[in-house]
Amino acid sequence: MVYLKTDDEIELLREANLLVGKTLAELAKNIKPGVTTRQLDVLAETFIRDHGAEPTFKGFPNPYGPEFPASICTSVNEVVIHGIPNDIPLKDGDIVSIDCGTKLNGFCGDSCYTFAVGEVSETVSNLLRVTKESLYKGIEQAVVGHRIGDISYAVQSHCENHGYGVVREFVGHGIGREMHEDPQVPNYGKRGNGMQLKDGLCIAIEPMITYGSKDIYLLPDKWGIVTRDKSISAHFEHTICVRKGKADILSSFDEIENLIQR
Ligand code: MG
Ligand code: MG
């Protein structure tokens, strides 16, 4: 069931998503060698609750194991998504994808940014750049009259043209009162395929891209998803609303990028 949102609902979604951007920016100030992802999780939960919202990820159900124990997913290097925060300090040259979800006034925010820790190699920064570019290429396709497959194709072709892998098992999604609504938004697909996009459709687009093979496996903690060949992986996500002419991006990287000057 796909729920198109009213303009009032879209503004509530925007508020929840802007809070995610602010939370990620707050974390960006603290991402440096020596910091643990558990410390970042504590900062995130405090920041979200101080702004009157709930961290949607905390206690998120898992059909295969325990609920998610933290307020953010922190996926370091070869971890693609759903990394559980831990006590291992981040090192110079690492990358960490921080996925964050909020619920504010009944609506959900969902956005992810992959950060470089200290100095990273050109190989690594290229993966981050191309993954983020693919997100915006997908967003360019998110206009009335296009189809889900147009978004999927734009993401996949950009990343594969650079020789990167596109994870198939996890996808973007509709978003609203629930964090995961219909439709699914895969990062691979064919132009002209899938559901036609209508004004007011709100979706999260979230390329999960690997430097090497696209093959993944599930960690014994039943959450973390890791590349099979241990190559690094990047993940960028925006929540957007489909509009005529140009998508409306409801989340924001502006505050993050003012801080990290990328
Ligand atoms: Mg997310
Ligand atoms: Mg998402």
Side-chain angles (χ1 to χ4, degrees):
M1 179 82 189
V2 172
Y3 299 98
L4 300 178
K5 273 71 184 181
T6 65
D7 285 349
D8 286 347
E9 289 171 328
I10 290 161
E11 291 317 307
L12 291 170
L13 265 173
R14 192 190 311 276
E15 281 181 36
N17 276 284
L18 290 179
L19 178 57
V20 175
K22 284 182 188 302
T23 307
L24 292 174
E26 187 65 20
L27 300 181
K29 295 176 194 164
N30 293 278
I31 294 173
K32 49 184 169 256
V35 167
T36 70
T37 49
R38 198 186 305 277
Q39 290 172 317
L40 297 176
D41 179 52
V42 170
L43 286 173
E45 179 168 4
T46 305
F47 191 86
I48 291 167
R49 294 195 192 279
D50 283 352
H51 286 78
E54 294 285 320
T56 356
F57 294 2
K58 191 143 195 180
F60 201 80
N62 180 353
Y64 310 106
E67 296 175 339
F68 196 75
S71 295
I72 50 174
C73 298
T74 54
S75 304
V76 178
N77 296 337
E78 71 273 14
V79 184
V80 182
I81 51 169
H82 300 168
I84 296 176
N86 60 32
D87 295 315
I88 303 169
L90 295 171
K91 300 186 307 293
D92 192 40
D94 281 347
I95 56 172
V96 56
S97 303
I98 301 190
D99 198 348
C100 180
T102 59
K103 196 164 203 178
L104 181 62
N105 297 318
F107 284 85
C108 291
D110 188 11
S111 179
C112 179
Y113 200 93
T114 302
F115 298 89
V117 181
E119 289 292 316
V120 298
S121 69
E122 197 178 334
T123 305
V124 174
S125 62
N126 284 341
L127 175 71
L128 303 188
R129 177 179 53 80
V130 169
T131 304
K132 193 168 71 171
E133 285 170 359
S134 79
L135 168 60
Y136 286 104
K137 286 183 181 290
I139 292 171
E140 275 176 28
Q141 297 298 318
V143 294
V144 173
H146 283 195
R147 290 180 181 271
I148 293 286
D150 297 317
I151 299 171
S152 306
Y153 176 84
V155 171
Q156 180 184 14
S157 56
H158 187 64
C159 294
E160 289 184 349
N161 284 344
H162 286 83
Y164 299 139
V166 178
V167 171
R168 303 292 201 269
E169 291 86 345
F170 295 87
V171 296
H173 49 89
I175 181 166
R177 290 185 181 277
E178 299 296 329
M179 185 164 65
H180 296 139
E181 298 184 356
D182 288 336
Q184 292 198 342
V185 185
N187 297 306
Y188 65 96
K190 291 190 169 60
R191 278 183 285 202
N193 271 14
M195 195 190 93
Q196 196 161 35
L197 306 179
K198 295 195 173 72
D199 201 27
L201 176 68
C202 295
I203 53 176
I205 303 175
E206 47 180 316
M208 300 154 220
I209 305 302
T210 62
Y211 182 76
S213 158
K214 65 180 179 359
D215 296 339
I216 55 164
Y217 69 94
L218 179 65
L219 287 176
D221 67 19
K222 303 294 183 194
W223 277 106
I225 297 293
V226 181
T227 57
R228 201 161 275 286
D229 64 5
K230 294 286 163 59
S231 68
I232 58 167
S233 172
H235 179 205
F236 287 86
E237 174 180 28
H238 269 315
T239 291
I240 65 109
C241 179
V242 171
R243 294 299 200 187
K244 294 190 187 76
K246 192 165 182 284
D248 185 358
I249 303 178
L250 303 178
S251 47
S252 175
F253 296 155
D254 289 352
E255 287 191 47
I256 300 167
E257 296 188 338
N258 283 341
L259 284 162
I260 62 177
Q261 293 159 352
R262 183 175 299 137

